[in-house]
Amino acid sequence: MVMETRSTKRKKLWFASNHEGDNDLDRITDLPDAILHHILLLLPLKSIAQTSVLSQRWRSLWSSFPDLDFNTMNPSKDICSTPMLKSKRWWSSMDFIANVLALRDKHSDLRTLRFRAHLSFSHLNGLIRRAIRCNVQELDVEVATGDYFNFPRGVIMSESLRVLKLRSRYPGFRLLPSSVMNIGFQSLHTLSLSLVILYEQSSLLDLFTESSFPCLKNLNLDACFGMKHLKVCCRALEDLTLENCFQLNSLDICCAKLESLRVASCFDAYSDKTWFKVNAPRLRSISWEYNSITASSSLVNLTSLHKASVGFSLLHENLSVEKLQSVCNFLSGLSHVHSLTLESQCVEILSNKNDIINLLHPFNNLKVLELHTGFEKNNVPGLAFLFRSSPTLHTLILKIINDLKIERRQWNRDLWDLSTSAEEQYWESQLQTLRPFLDHLKVVKIHGFLECENEVSLAKFLLKHGKDLQEMTLCAAKFCNSKDSLRRQKVRSQIMGFSWASSNAKIVFLLSSS
């Protein structure tokens, strides 16, 4: 047995007298509310509610918790069995949400309320009124109702609300008159509305004005059925997204601070009177996806444009003169862009309508060009035009759409016995007009490479004349099979076997994994 010294005994007595009751000390509980709320935010709401059984202190933390995301949980009996809630009978998720709001500390503000549920309009209004009384800052709601409902008036005059996201399932909700809507939302900076019924209010020309929504920075409108005319002029707006507005006839955007614009699946494809206008001197990014071609288009003052992606939805190939001119005006309005992606429909239009391409403005600032194309023979003039219009291009990306057509997979058996093909002769005929493009091009990536005549001719032309070319990547399509291996090797040998303009160029052959 080891004997304790006097010094050891004195140290033990001092420690015991100065730390009496430490066994019962809960250091986490003593942390400030803000820190504990931040820690709890990492947990699902169900787990946060369960902490209320620990002590009065944790019940207080639960009743004042500022971020209620009911999408992270399903109401269940174990939550209802907590001492704080066991006296309540919870018939549905709406009862659960309503009771949590009713039991909140009246002196604690609500930062976020997020839920999705099937409910009546009166229940929705009741929940929103309770949230507004708690000075909610972010309201994110997805609801399904048995009938159309009106936009909840309770949120309009809220001084605390910063973010409002209201998504409706079928049948949707109706907006209130603009005269009612635009007198409020003085603090709102993000608005997102989905499945809005506007058949009785088809023109939203006086809702998003310079005087309304003074702090609005982000606006997202999705599936606005019946909306035919939209004007957006909010002075603080920076990000605008418009989706699935198939009946839209006119779109007018004039926002001095707008930086990002995305319009997808919009405009009435059967109307000959559709138009849009964009005036946004600070616009940095525009995404135009699967929209019907409008009869008129105008892009004004896009001098800050950095990135653009353009794709159209075509019902038929026979476009009117007005719509062809509209495509020309649209692309000319992007002339300041630095990075441009064109979907296959754009390449097809430029390839088949030679009468409009001479009207386009050159892309003198363009550094990255990505083209999606079927690379048929009729596409070659359109590609040549785009190359001529990009005199300072750094990177060219071609994504060839291989739809397994026989003509796209067909080998020209005599091609490799000829010194030059018709396509090579065409590219050589364009050499002088393509000199600026060839003198600046550094990187080429071709995806879906099948070693067919069109793409091989282009690859050889770029290698032969690209004086500053540094890297070419040819990524073969997945469905190239072993039977083609011998011919593929012969093609690659030809590509590698002639003199290149750039001594620094390297070429990489890859096989696509997708």
Side-chain angles (χ1 to χ4, degrees):
M1 186 176 180
V2 180
M3 299 293 293
E4 288 184 336
T5 64
R6 291 180 181 178
S7 176
T8 302
K9 288 182 178 180
R10 283 198 297 271
K11 287 179 180 180
K12 283 186 175 182
L13 290 171
W14 179 88
F15 188 88
S17 62
N18 285 276
H19 293 80
E20 186 176 2
D22 262 15
N23 291 335
D24 299 324
L25 185 63
D26 182 354
R27 295 185 182 277
I28 294 180
T29 300
D30 279 352
L31 291 173
D33 284 10
I35 294 178
L36 288 174
H37 283 155
H38 186 73
I39 295 172
L40 290 173
L41 189 58
L42 303 174
L43 301 175
L45 195 64
K46 173 181 175 179
S47 300
I48 301 171
Q50 288 172 327
T51 63
S52 63
V53 303
L54 298 176
S55 67
Q56 178 62 39
R57 167 80 170 119
W58 287 95
R59 286 195 291 275
S60 175
L61 286 169
W62 163 238
S63 65
S64 62
F65 188 66
D67 299 283
L68 298 178
D69 185 357
F70 293 93
N71 293 347
T72 65
M73 60 165 294
N74 290 314
S76 57
K77 293 181 179 179
D78 51 355
I79 297 179
C80 301
S81 64
T82 62
M84 183 181 182
L85 305 174
K86 64 182 180 182
S87 62
K88 302 291 182 183
R89 186 177 182 182
W90 295 37
W91 295 99
S92 67
S93 61
M94 293 316 306
D95 293 324
F96 175 71
I97 298 171
N99 277 279
V100 169
L101 293 176
L103 293 168
R104 280 189 61 79
D105 184 340
K106 296 181 180 180
H107 302 290
S108 299
D109 289 344
L110 187 59
R111 188 163 49 206
T112 303
L113 175 62
R114 184 177 294 114
F115 67 87
R116 56 175 175 264
H118 189 288
L119 76 170
S120 67
F121 179 54
S122 60
H123 278 139
L124 175 63
N125 262 335
L127 290 176
I128 289 178
R129 281 195 296 268
R130 284 181 174 145
I132 296 300
R133 284 197 292 266
C134 294
N135 295 319
V136 65
Q137 296 180 31
E138 179 176 348
L139 188 58
D140 187 346
V141 178
E142 182 176 357
V143 295
T145 59
D147 196 359
Y148 298 109
F149 66 92
N150 293 325
F151 185 87
R153 289 177 176 265
V155 300
I156 296 176
M157 301 308 296
S158 171
E159 296 181 359
S160 63
L161 195 62
R162 302 290 184 272
V163 178
L164 175 60
K165 298 178 181 180
L166 181 57
R167 296 181 298 279
S168 172
R169 299 290 184 89
Y170 183 82
F173 67 93
R174 293 177 290 247
L175 283 183
L176 298 172
S178 297
S179 58
V180 177
M181 294 281 289
N182 58 23
I183 61 173
F185 300 112
Q186 295 301 299
S187 303
L188 198 71
H189 67 66
T190 297
L191 176 63
S192 179
L193 303 176
S194 180
L195 195 49
V196 189
I197 307 302
L198 294 167
Y199 289 109
E200 297 179 1
Q201 192 179 351
S202 61
S203 296
L204 293 184
L205 300 178
D206 56 353
L207 178 58
F208 301 105
T209 65
E210 289 188 7
S211 59
S212 63
F213 299 91
C215 299
L216 192 66
K217 293 184 177 181
N218 306 289
L219 176 61
N220 186 328
L221 299 177
D222 176 29
C224 296
F225 294 114
M227 183 174 69
K228 294 185 177 181
H229 308 285
L230 175 64
K231 185 175 183 178
V232 181
C233 298
C234 300
R235 61 186 179 217
L237 195 66
E238 297 177 0
D239 189 303
L240 172 60
T241 297
L242 188 65
E243 300 177 89
N244 302 312
C245 297
F246 307 108
Q247 294 157 305
L248 191 65
N249 274 255
S250 70
L251 174 62
D252 188 358
I253 300 171
C254 184
C255 300
K257 296 184 177 180
L258 189 68
E259 296 182 359
S260 177
L261 172 64
R262 179 173 180 261
V263 181
S265 301
C266 291
F267 294 103
D268 187 347
Y270 298 96
S271 174
D272 293 326
K273 298 181 179 180
T274 54
W275 63 271
F276 77 91
K277 180 179 179 179
V278 178
N279 187 340
R282 292 192 186 180
L283 193 68
R284 297 275 298 168
S285 173
I286 180 171
S287 180
W288 199 264
E289 306 170 13
Y290 308 110
N291 296 300
S292 299
I293 298 177
T294 57
S296 172
S297 60
S298 175
L299 300 176
V300 183
N301 292 330
L302 304 192
T303 54
S304 302
L305 193 62
H306 181 79
K307 185 176 182 180
S309 176
V310 183
F312 296 111
S313 175
L314 299 179
L315 289 180
H316 47 76
E317 295 182 359
N318 297 323
L319 296 176
S320 65
V321 174
E322 290 78 13
K323 290 194 174 184
L324 287 174
Q325 183 65 53
S326 178
V327 172
C328 178
N329 293 342
F330 185 102
L331 295 177
S332 295
L334 305 177
S335 60
H336 296 281
V337 72
H338 290 244
S339 176
L340 175 63
T341 298
L342 296 181
E343 297 291 342
S344 59
Q345 305 91 338
C346 293
V347 177
E348 290 289 336
I349 292 172
L350 294 175
S351 300
N352 298 327
K353 306 297 180 182
N354 296 328
D355 50 337
I356 73 164
I357 61 177
N358 295 325
L359 303 176
L360 290 178
H361 296 177
F363 300 102
N364 291 323
N365 298 329
L366 191 62
K367 302 302 178 187
V368 180
L369 175 62
E370 179 175 322
L371 301 174
H372 299 189
T373 174
F375 216 147
E376 304 290 348
K377 289 186 179 181
N378 64 301
N379 296 143
V380 174
L383 296 179
F385 165 76
L386 288 169
F387 297 163
R388 287 196 301 272
S389 301
S390 311
T392 62
L393 194 69
H394 177 281
T395 300
L396 171 65
I397 303 171
L398 286 179
K399 292 192 174 181
I400 300 173
I401 303 169
N402 290 303
D403 53 7
L404 303 182
K405 290 181 180 178
I406 297 298
E407 57 267 28
R408 276 294 296 137
R409 303 183 63 187
Q410 182 96 31
W411 291 100
N412 185 336
R413 297 183 181 276
D414 300 325
L415 175 62
W416 312 118
D417 297 326
L418 299 173
S419 57
T420 58
S421 67
E423 277 66 27
E424 287 184 77
Q425 292 175 9
Y426 173 81
W427 285 115
E428 290 293 335
S429 72
Q430 303 296 309
L431 179 59
Q432 293 304 316
T433 60
L434 290 176
R435 280 293 184 192
F437 164 77
L438 293 167
D439 289 345
H440 290 86
L441 189 64
K442 291 180 172 59
V443 178
V444 176
K445 300 178 182 179
I446 303 180
H447 299 268
F449 191 71
L450 282 181
E451 293 94 355
C452 292
E453 183 177 359
N454 294 331
E455 56 233 45
V456 172
S457 299
L458 176 60
K460 291 172 68 175
F461 176 75
L462 296 178
L463 286 167
K464 185 177 179 180
H465 299 288
K467 295 181 178 180
D468 206 20
L469 192 64
Q470 298 175 3
E471 177 184 342
M472 177 179 285
T473 302
L474 304 178
C475 188
K478 183 178 180 181
F479 50 77
C480 288
N481 53 53
S482 57
K483 292 189 298 183
D484 300 327
S485 59
L486 182 61
R487 193 180 302 274
R488 184 184 304 118
Q489 188 60 44
K490 188 175 181 179
V491 172
R492 294 180 180 182
S493 297
Q494 281 210 6
I495 292 176
M496 301 292 293
F498 66 92
S499 178
W500 300 350
S502 172
S503 59
N504 296 321
K506 65 177 182 178
I507 187 167
V508 179
F509 294 94
L510 298 176
L511 181 63
S512 174
S513 59
S514 59

